[in-house]
Amino acid sequence: MAEVLCTVVVVPRDRFGCTRASLDALYRETSCPFELIYVDAGSPASVSAYLAEQARDRGFTLLRSPDVLFPNQARNLAIAYVKTRYVVFLDNDVRVTSGWLQALVQCASDTEADVVTPLIALDGRVHSAGGATELAADGEGWRLQVDRGCQDRPLAEVKEGLTRCAAGLADFHCILFDRDFLQRMGSFDERMANTQEQIDMSLTVGQLGGEIVFEPSSLVHWEPHAPLAIADLFFFMVRWSDAFQVDSLHHLRDKWRVREDDYFTTRYQSVGWQRHEPLLDPIAARYAPLDRVLGKLVPWKDGAKPLRSVMLRVERALNRYLSQYYARRQTRSTREASARHS
């Protein structure tokens, strides 16, 4: 029997409706042996029951949290259970392709890399293909530089020209770590709740002298457009909370002592777009004629669309409430856990 060299850890990214399709693809397309640890964090009853059944039938480790967790929290929960030489962290909205894991493991073995990042596609275009992250000095202090290489180029146009190479950026959608190096890193930073956690992780790898290698023969597809079910909404709203996004950006800035430049300004301006794009934009598009009529009857400041502006205010108020509620629950859970271990 072939030696099992790798453990795959699957964590929820922002919804649960993609669980079945991604898990089916993982077993269908992965030919080399692997251990699986699946973190089920706050999923609805139907998904939780499905995962429990699959864990029994397929024999993988299922870690259940009654509360939804941010991805770095879920990854940290699983680290203690990893016993193999390598570990791959995989988001639950990623569909792997044939040979993906074998290529990652082979690359790690050939290069002795600490981290290996695959080719990640999104809607037929390149989402992640290595790249670089570094801290650069200028006259005003340190600033963050991120180069995503051929991101957004058509996959068919560039795939054959991509080669294995050193990289300075890896994406958490799918990423392999050497377990010894992961132990040196310790846990992932849970203050990086919902944005730029891949930047923080890549900088940490570089700070520790680790090596990231990009392996283009391993291809996975990130598929973030699965329909949102009612049962997904709490997790989705908290995951992309305005408050947690701003806190993550502030934490990144303070942790790495970088100044706020256009990189941060752009992200502050776009806070919440992950929610607004799937939740508000379809409604605004459907009722665009009504918006035009309202705009003529009630002039709106700066030419804004009245209907969308009202929806945005209501949605942001709801998001603040849910974020505060979740923060209180997290604080209470932490206190209860501390009391149990004291």
Side-chain angles (χ1 to χ4, degrees):
M1 186 175 179
E3 180 184 6
V4 179
L5 295 175
C6 188
T7 298
V8 177
V9 173
V10 179
V11 302
R13 182 174 174 272
D14 64 11
R15 68 193 76 194
F16 303 104
C18 41
T19 298
R20 185 184 299 267
S22 64
L23 187 61
D24 286 347
L26 175 62
Y27 277 101
R28 183 178 65 251
E29 303 294 352
T30 309
S31 56
C32 62
F34 66 97
E35 299 289 338
L36 175 61
I37 299 173
Y38 204 109
V39 181
D40 175 17
S43 70
S46 59
V47 175
S48 181
Y50 167 76
L51 287 172
E53 176 188 348
Q54 291 295 303
R56 289 192 300 269
D57 293 346
R58 298 184 183 274
F60 62 78
T61 300
L62 181 63
L63 304 179
R64 168 73 181 174
S65 165
D67 293 320
V68 297
L69 299 174
F70 291 125
N72 272 357
Q73 294 175 312
R75 294 176 188 116
N76 287 339
L77 181 64
I79 287 174
Y81 296 84
V82 176
K83 307 301 180 186
T84 53
R85 180 177 176 181
Y86 304 113
V87 53
V88 169
F89 294 98
L90 190 70
D91 286 347
N92 73 333
D93 56 359
V94 169
R95 176 174 55 84
V96 302
T97 66
S98 179
W100 74 283
L101 183 57
Q102 185 173 354
L104 289 179
V105 171
Q106 189 64 54
C107 177
S109 177
D110 292 345
T111 65
E112 298 185 346
D114 302 294
V115 178
V116 181
T117 179
L119 175 59
I120 302 175
L122 169 63
D123 297 334
R125 307 182 81 85
V126 173
H127 175 71
S128 179
T133 305
E134 60 183 2
L135 303 177
D138 59 21
E140 301 180 46
W142 293 96
R143 61 190 179 89
L144 190 61
Q145 284 190 325
V146 180
D147 177 11
R148 287 192 166 272
C150 60
Q151 187 181 48
D152 292 331
R153 296 273 301 277
L155 183 64
E157 179 183 293
V158 301
K159 187 176 186 302
E160 297 306 317
L162 296 174
T163 59
R164 179 187 292 178
C165 62
L169 176 63
D171 203 305
F172 268 126
H173 296 305
C174 178
I175 183 172
L176 177 145
F177 281 86
D178 181 284
R179 186 168 67 98
D180 290 342
F181 182 78
L182 185 59
Q183 289 176 335
R184 282 180 55 204
M185 279 186 63
S187 59
F188 298 114
D189 191 339
E190 296 183 4
R191 282 287 303 278
M192 301 304 303
N194 62 4
T195 186
Q196 309 309 305
E197 59 264 55
Q198 76 280 4
I199 303 296
D200 174 68
M201 177 272 297
S202 298
L203 288 171
T204 301
V205 172
Q207 183 184 59
L208 294 174
E211 182 183 12
I212 301 174
V213 173
F214 166 57
E215 178 49 67
S217 66
S218 176
L219 172 65
V220 303
H221 294 271
W222 174 37
E223 300 180 335
H225 306 308
L228 272 170
I230 296 297
D232 290 332
L233 286 179
F234 176 73
F235 180 30
F236 186 80
M237 292 282 279
V238 168
R239 171 72 165 104
W240 301 119
S241 153
D242 290 349
F244 292 132
Q245 284 191 326
V246 171
D247 183 70
S248 295
L249 288 166
H250 287 174
H251 181 56
L252 181 71
R253 175 199 64 195
D254 297 342
K255 178 178 180 177
W256 296 102
R257 299 180 181 179
V258 294
R259 64 181 176 86
E260 288 193 344
D261 56 8
D262 291 345
Y263 180 87
F264 284 89
T265 301
T266 300
R267 278 148 187 82
Y268 291 140
Q269 291 173 343
S270 63
V271 161
W273 73 266
Q274 294 96 336
R275 304 191 318 274
H276 303 154
E277 187 175 272
L279 295 177
L280 301 189
D281 288 355
I283 300 175
R286 182 175 182 179
Y287 292 101
L290 176 61
D291 233 4
R292 287 192 291 270
V293 172
L294 290 173
K296 293 177 181 179
L297 295 176
V298 184
W300 208 259
K301 187 173 67 175
D302 300 327
K305 295 179 179 179
L307 181 60
R308 193 182 192 285
S309 296
V310 170
M311 289 193 301
L312 196 60
R313 291 182 182 183
V314 172
E315 192 276 340
R316 281 183 167 153
L318 175 61
N319 187 253
R320 282 195 300 273
Y321 170 78
L322 292 176
S323 301
Q324 292 165 1
Y325 171 74
Y326 178 76
R328 291 194 298 269
R329 278 179 51 174
Q330 287 279 288
T331 300
R332 185 168 61 248
S333 296
T334 301
R335 289 174 179 168
E336 291 173 352
S338 297
R340 287 195 298 270
H341 290 93
S342 62

